[in-house]
Amino acid sequence: MTLFFTVTTLQQLPQALALGESLRQHQPADRFVIGLADDSGQIPATFQCPYELIPVTALPVDLPLLSEKYNPAEFAAAVKPLFLRHLWQTRPEAEQVVYLAPSIYLYRPLTELTALFADSPLLLTPHLLRPPADEQWPDEKYFQNVGLFHAGFLGLRRSENADHFVEWWSQRAPERAFVDFCEGMCLDQVWLMMTVVFYPATRIVKNPGWHVGLWNLHERNLRSAGTQQTADGQPLAFFNFDGFVNRSLLFDGQNRVRLSAFPVAQALVRAYRQVVQRLDANLSRIAPAYGRQVIKYPLPAWRKSLLQSLRQTVQFIDTVDVPRKM
C-alpha cells in the first residue's frame, strides 16, 4: 500500500482537498493524509475534512520557538520532515510513502511508481531537465541556490536507506529551513541535493510528464488532445500550480513564463481554480497561526536588474579618485 501525504496551512487546505480528489480518482486503493502546519482550533465548526488530518501538535516540536523564527512558508517546510518521520514510524503497513505538495493535482494514475520503487528506495524530481535556452530568470545559478530537486514531490520505499534518510532529513531541515541564499539555506529542499551522494540508489525521475510547474513549463511542450494532455509527448501525470493560483515564495519574480503564451497550461489553471474555489469553504481567508516573520518574495525581474545596475554604478563610483580642495 502507498501512503500519500501533504503538509498545508489552513489557507492552502482547499488546494490540499483538490489534491485529495485527484488522488481518489487516480489512486483509489491508496490512502491520503494531510499534515496541518497550522492551528486546528481555527477550523470552522461547519467544515468536515474527508481525509485524515494530523495536527502539528502531534509532533515532538517546540512550536512557539519555530513559529517565532520562521515565516509561514518556512515553518511549513520545517515541520514537513517531522510529519514524514511521524508517518514513517506510525504507519508500518505503508510500504511506500509519497509526499505531494498541496498545490499539486494528478491527471492520471502514477503507474510508474511500482517499477521506480523496484529500482530505488528514494525518488526525486528535478526542477529542470535541460539548460534554459535564453537569458531569462531564473537561470542555472539560481537553481543551485534553491536546490536542484523540487521538494514538492518525494517518494520513499521502506528500506535501510530510506530509514536513514528520514532521520537525517528530519534532524537537519527543522532548524535550518530559512530562505537565506547567503547562508546556503532554502527551506527543506536544498538538503535534497545531498541525497545522490549520501544515498547512491536515489532515482531522479526525468519523465517530462511528472511535476510540471512554473519553473519548467517552458521546456515541457504541453499539448492537449480532448481531455488528455501530454508533456514532451508523455502523458501528463501531475502539475504543480504553485505560482499560478498563489504567489510563489521562490519563483514570484521569474520573467520566463507568461501564462498567456501557454494555452494548454492556461486551461489547466482555469479548471483547477474552479475546483479549489468549490472546496474553499472560506478556509483561504484564515491567516496562518504559526510563522510570525514576514514572507519576503523575490524581486520582480526588472527590479532585480535595476538593483544590479545600481550596485555596479556604486562600485564604479567607489573606484573613481575625486580631487579634493586642499
Side-chain angles (χ1 to χ4, degrees), residues 49-178:
C49 186
Y51 311 102
E52 181 181 359
L53 199 66
I54 301 176
V56 71
T57 51
L59 306 178
V61 61
D62 188 335
L63 292 179
L65 177 63
L66 286 190
S67 181
E68 188 62 36
K69 67 191 291 188
Y70 290 133
N71 63 47
E74 293 169 339
F75 177 85
V79 299
K80 186 205 299 184
L82 301 179
F83 274 113
L84 171 61
R85 185 173 65 179
H86 175 80
L87 293 171
W88 198 252
Q89 294 174 345
T90 60
R91 312 298 166 95
E93 73 281 4
E95 299 171 355
Q96 293 98 219
V97 175
V98 174
Y99 173 81
L100 295 173
S103 49
I104 282 177
Y105 195 85
L106 269 67
Y107 290 92
R108 64 170 176 83
L110 300 181
T111 53
E112 303 94 327
L113 279 176
T114 300
L116 290 170
F117 276 131
D119 291 338
S120 175
L122 178 58
L123 308 178
L124 297 173
T125 51
H127 278 103
L128 299 177
L129 295 179
R130 49 185 176 265
D134 55 37
E135 299 298 323
Q136 303 302 307
W137 188 82
D139 57 10
E140 295 93 331
K141 178 61 177 70
Y142 185 73
F143 283 105
Q144 293 180 43
N145 289 333
V146 303
L148 304 182
F149 308 108
H150 196 297
F153 169 86
L154 173 68
L156 291 170
R157 170 177 54 80
R158 290 198 178 273
S159 64
E160 183 177 347
N161 274 349
D163 290 344
H164 190 276
F165 168 80
V166 171
E167 286 302 315
W168 169 75
W169 199 37
S170 62
Q171 290 173 13
R172 295 295 189 272
E175 294 302 317
R176 286 173 279 185
F178 298 99

Side-chain angles (χ1 to χ4, degrees), residues 12 15 103 214 240-249 252 272-273 297:
Q12 296 173 306
Q15 290 181 275
S103 49
L214 179 62
N240 192 327
F241 289 93
D242 180 45
F244 289 113
V245 297
N246 56 279
R247 298 189 68 180
S248 174
L249 176 61
D252 195 57
Y272 178 75
R273 281 176 174 159
Y297 292 97

Side-chain angles (χ1 to χ4, degrees), residues 126-133 140 208 216-221 232:
H127 278 103
L128 299 177
L129 295 179
R130 49 185 176 265
E140 295 93 331
N216 60 29
L217 182 59
H218 64 283
E219 67 172 20
R220 297 303 171 94
N221 192 24
D232 269 6

Side-chain angles (χ1 to χ4, degrees), residues 186-218:
C186 183
L187 305 175
D188 56 316
Q189 74 181 12
V190 74
W191 298 97
L192 300 180
M193 290 196 293
M194 304 287 189
T195 57
V196 293
V197 177
F198 295 165
Y199 311 99
T202 299
R203 178 69 175 269
I204 303 172
V205 183
K206 297 182 180 180
N207 186 325
W210 280 48
H211 214 166
V212 181
L214 179 62
W215 42 90
N216 60 29
L217 182 59
H218 64 283

